[in-house]
Amino acid sequence: ATDRMSLRKVPAIASPDIEQEHSERGLADAAWLREMAAEYGVGSLVWRVRVLAQFPDDATDSVFKREWLDLAFRTVHQPRGENRLAIDLGLGNGGDLTVHIVRDDNGVLHCEASNTVTLEAAASRAAVLAQRFKVEPHRVSYDVEGIGADFANRLEAVGLKGCQPYRGGGGGTKKYANMRAQAAWKAHQRLDPQYMPKTPEGLLVPQMPFSLVNMPAKSQQMLRKELQELRYQLGPSGDIVLEKAEDYAERLKRSPDHQACFCQSFGFNN
């Protein structure tokens, strides 16, 4: 006779220690369950897989929910925190857009996009916006991959030294496949009205709705569409993996430049 081994998928909520605050045996406990709910959201793909042990074949989920965007595009901005500037670069030859987005902790303050802006002009606009919105150079980020490889020199030439190079394809962690996934998930958490960030003391506190009203109408339309369409799945080790950029762009029928710039602005904690 041939021995056969059957595998059972046991949900984490079936843990014998799930009602205990902390499990002495390293099993799923109440603190872990709260952390999963806060970090990923009840009902998300991550929740279904890690908590409910539901493993659908080739499962993907939206990074941003439509109702979150509806709320963001009608929320009046209330200033809070330091201003940041993110720059997604195009060649300025009539193709992909160059996008500049300025935001603070509670919303976007300014957005502009053009497919005719050269790299030199993009750096000059960054200097103007940094001065106008009082953005410190270390809170200015730019896409360093591809055409942005020497953009730091152009920024330094206009007085912006020490800006943050953003490498979407690098910087993988246990939770995120790369920086692109991490930045998108941080944006996801900020737009989720139910997400509660943790204070330095470990307390979970509600956050104000994020505002996306201070953008030109065309940019609002493009950003909404691009955020709605962005999808993710879980990698083999359970990390968050965004769909391939080329597949995403093919489905959109354009480069998702507004989304790339917006999410980039969440790539750094400073």
Side-chain angles (χ1 to χ4, degrees), residues 25-68:
R25 298 179 286 179
L27 301 178
D29 53 30
W32 176 85
L33 193 64
R34 285 199 307 274
E35 182 178 349
M36 292 297 295
E39 182 76 10
Y40 301 107
V42 176
S44 69
L45 175 61
V46 182
W47 178 272
R48 297 198 304 270
V49 171
R50 296 188 188 176
V51 177
L52 302 181
Q54 298 174 356
F55 298 89
D57 295 334
D58 195 28
T60 65
D61 199 1
S62 298
V63 177
F64 301 95
K65 294 183 179 181
R66 185 184 299 270
E67 56 266 31
W68 302 355

Side-chain angles (χ1 to χ4, degrees), residues 182-193:
Q182 179 174 326
W185 200 259
K186 296 303 179 184
H188 156 108
Q189 292 174 332
R190 186 59 191 89
L191 264 63
D192 179 0

Side-chain angles (χ1 to χ4, degrees), residues 201-218:
E201 296 75 28
L203 301 175
L204 297 176
V205 296
Q207 61 182 0
M208 296 182 62
F210 195 83
S211 172
L212 291 172
V213 299
N214 293 329
M215 302 174 65
K218 181 65 173 178

Side-chain angles (χ1 to χ4, degrees), residues 117-132:
V117 173
T118 65
L119 294 177
E120 291 80 6
S124 296
R125 283 301 299 162
V128 170
L129 293 173
Q131 183 178 31
R132 174 183 169 189

Side-chain angles (χ1 to χ4, degrees), residues 47-121:
W47 178 272
R48 297 198 304 270
V49 171
R50 296 188 188 176
V51 177
L52 302 181
Q54 298 174 356
F55 298 89
D57 295 334
D58 195 28
T60 65
D61 199 1
S62 298
V63 177
F64 301 95
K65 294 183 179 181
R66 185 184 299 270
E67 56 266 31
W68 302 355
L69 300 177
D70 290 342
L71 176 61
F73 281 108
R74 67 170 184 264
T75 294
V76 176
H77 177 253
Q78 299 186 41
R80 180 177 179 272
E82 301 291 343
N83 293 344
R84 298 164 176 80
L85 167 61
I87 310 161
D88 188 69
L89 297 167
L91 284 171
N93 59 1
D96 294 348
L97 296 168
T98 290
V99 183
H100 295 72
I101 288 179
V102 181
R103 72 164 183 89
D104 65 7
D105 292 348
N106 280 349
V108 169
L109 304 173
H110 178 84
C111 174
E112 59 186 59
S114 172
N115 63 2
T116 60
V117 173
T118 65
L119 294 177
E120 291 80 6

